[in-house]
Amino acid sequence: MRAVEAVAGWLGSVASEQLDRAVVAGLGGLHVEQPPMLDLSPVDIDRFWQESQVTAPRPVRVDRSWDCFEGHGWRELDLVGESAGPGSHPGSRRLNATAHIGPAGAAAPIVVVLHGYAVPFSGYDRWLAWRMRQRGVHTVRIELPFHLRRAVPRRHSGDHFFSLDPAYTRAVVRQCVEDTAAVMAWAQREVTPDVRFLGTSLGGLVALLVTALLPVDRTLVAAPFCEPPVTFTEYHHGAMRRYTGMLAQAAGYWGRDRESSREALSEALAPIVPRRLRPVTAPERITIIESLGDSIVGAPPMEELAAAWGCALWQYPHGHITLMNAKGLPTRIVEHLTATATAAAPGALALAG
């Protein structure tokens, strides 16, 4: 029996890795900005976030609302607001989110759901949000810049989100955090003070940064993209690495080799590396789900972040993509985020740790 289980586990890990590699190959076709000049200067973490609008978020309003299929008293809201970041298309200047608000009002928490990089549609997030609403909680799904309705016209969801210039990537990620903070402020004002986060992959990075900078009731991130300098230099394979110049024989946009590139990026991207922040949200309110077979963003950064923050770490022997369908995991996610509310965590804007 143990031999059969061992073989099944080995086959599962191989399939997981192959699926991750197939996704990486697909990501290689997305457009990454390649500006003529790069700014690799180190950035002060505290100043970067103090100059943002995270603690003074832009207003969010309800653009449309209608009754939804959940039943009596449930409303679906289309949320919009101003946004600011790189790009000149409408999605770079307009925040989009979809909320489902139930009759429980402030008695129930609201879960903010943040999607992964380059998702062509939000089916997985919609399904998890629906399952959470079956337990009576409100939900809101945010569309990140350059994705879904906010994509560049006639381009794929995710095109132009990243750039070889760290300054551009920092600006887009800060825009994601500012947009999320704006939706959080709307939810606390209009729905309930109990706001929780669920982030997957890129959405996990955004959720972690918000959790570091603002007091959050509960945060759960699955396979988070939590150490961009490491992922960019260690976990992009084949065509994607050649495209971004991360092979020794390529142009070397960030350095002569992988080590020097990672060193340069570690300071240039420092403000968007959660491990470099000291979170204001208490560690017992934060949970990281680690995909042990992750060959897209890498498992070690997740372990290092959990150790640095002292938060819970759930480990699953799956890849970045197959983690989403891990047996029992969706139920565990739903139960964790819809459990009895806890008191709001104290705190303010984080300082660098």
Side-chain angles (χ1 to χ4, degrees):
M1 185 63 180
R2 289 182 178 177
V4 172
E5 291 176 349
V7 171
W10 177 78
L11 289 173
S13 65
V14 170
S16 217
E17 182 177 353
Q18 291 304 313
L19 182 56
D20 278 6
R21 287 182 179 276
V23 170
V24 168
L27 295 179
L30 291 174
H31 183 84
V32 175
E33 290 291 310
Q34 294 178 285
M37 298 291 292
L38 306 184
D39 183 1
L40 292 170
S41 305
V43 178
D44 183 89
I45 298 173
D46 296 341
R47 179 177 299 176
F48 178 84
W49 288 114
Q50 288 165 355
E51 292 175 349
S52 74
Q53 293 196 242
V54 171
T55 56
R58 300 178 182 90
V60 169
R61 61 180 175 84
V62 177
D63 188 45
R64 297 181 301 155
S65 70
W66 55 92
D67 294 334
C68 55
F69 63 84
E70 265 79 3
H72 178 70
W74 280 90
R75 299 284 292 172
E76 182 171 335
L77 313 177
D78 195 12
L79 305 179
V80 297
E82 292 184 0
S83 184
S88 57
H89 62 290
S92 67
R93 296 291 177 265
R94 178 183 172 98
L95 177 154
N96 287 100
T98 303
H100 289 80
I101 308 301
I110 187 168
V111 179
V112 179
V113 183
L114 293 157
H115 62 75
Y117 173 55
V119 294
F121 57 90
S122 54
Y124 180 76
D125 300 315
R126 289 173 183 265
W127 175 66
L128 280 179
W130 173 80
R131 288 193 59 179
M132 287 186 282
R133 291 197 298 274
Q134 302 312 295
R135 292 172 173 261
V137 306
H138 319 287
T139 64
V140 57
R141 293 179 291 101
I142 299 177
E143 297 179 25
L144 299 177
F146 297 101
H147 288 82
L148 303 171
R149 286 181 292 176
R150 302 181 66 182
V152 177
R154 296 176 296 280
R155 303 293 300 189
H156 296 102
S157 177
D159 274 343
H160 301 274
F161 184 91
F162 288 119
S163 171
L164 299 180
D165 183 10
Y168 178 102
T169 298
R170 287 195 310 266
V172 176
V173 172
R174 180 161 67 183
Q175 182 181 15
C176 293
V177 175
E178 290 177 338
D179 289 354
T180 304
V183 170
M184 178 180 175
W186 171 86
Q188 290 175 322
R189 183 181 66 253
E190 302 291 339
V191 185
T192 173
D194 186 346
V195 180
R196 307 173 181 197
F197 284 92
L198 169 61
T200 303
S201 190
L202 172 62
L205 170 64
V206 178
L208 288 167
L209 290 170
V210 174
T211 301
L213 297 164
L214 299 171
V216 174
D217 187 87
R218 192 170 300 174
T219 292
L220 181 68
V221 292
F225 171 53
C226 58
E227 191 89 18
V230 173
T231 297
F232 286 155
T233 57
E234 296 291 335
Y235 292 97
H236 282 168
H237 304 281
M240 183 62 172
R241 186 173 292 166
R242 287 193 295 273
Y243 182 57
T244 53
M246 289 316 305
L247 288 177
Q249 67 269 29
Y253 294 100
W254 298 315
R256 299 181 306 277
D257 50 35
R258 187 181 304 172
E259 289 71 24
S260 61
S261 296
R262 186 170 62 249
E263 181 179 347
L265 288 180
S266 67
E267 296 308 314
L269 296 179
I272 63 170
V273 176
R275 182 180 53 80
R276 303 287 294 271
L277 300 176
R278 183 173 65 248
V280 299
T281 300
E284 59 267 23
R285 300 174 186 271
I286 307 168
T287 302
I288 298 171
I289 306 176
E290 178 188 7
S291 42
L292 289 167
D294 200 312
S295 58
I296 292 181
V297 303
M302 304 178 207
E303 296 179 5
E304 293 170 6
L305 175 61
W309 281 12
C311 60
L313 182 69
W314 299 354
Q315 295 180 311
Y316 282 78
H318 299 278
H320 191 81
I321 303 303
T322 50
L323 174 74
M324 307 310 153
N325 295 314
K327 184 178 179 180
L329 180 57
T331 298
R332 193 177 182 189
I333 289 173
V334 170
E335 290 176 346
H336 181 78
L337 287 170
T338 60
T340 304
T342 55
L349 189 68
L351 297 178

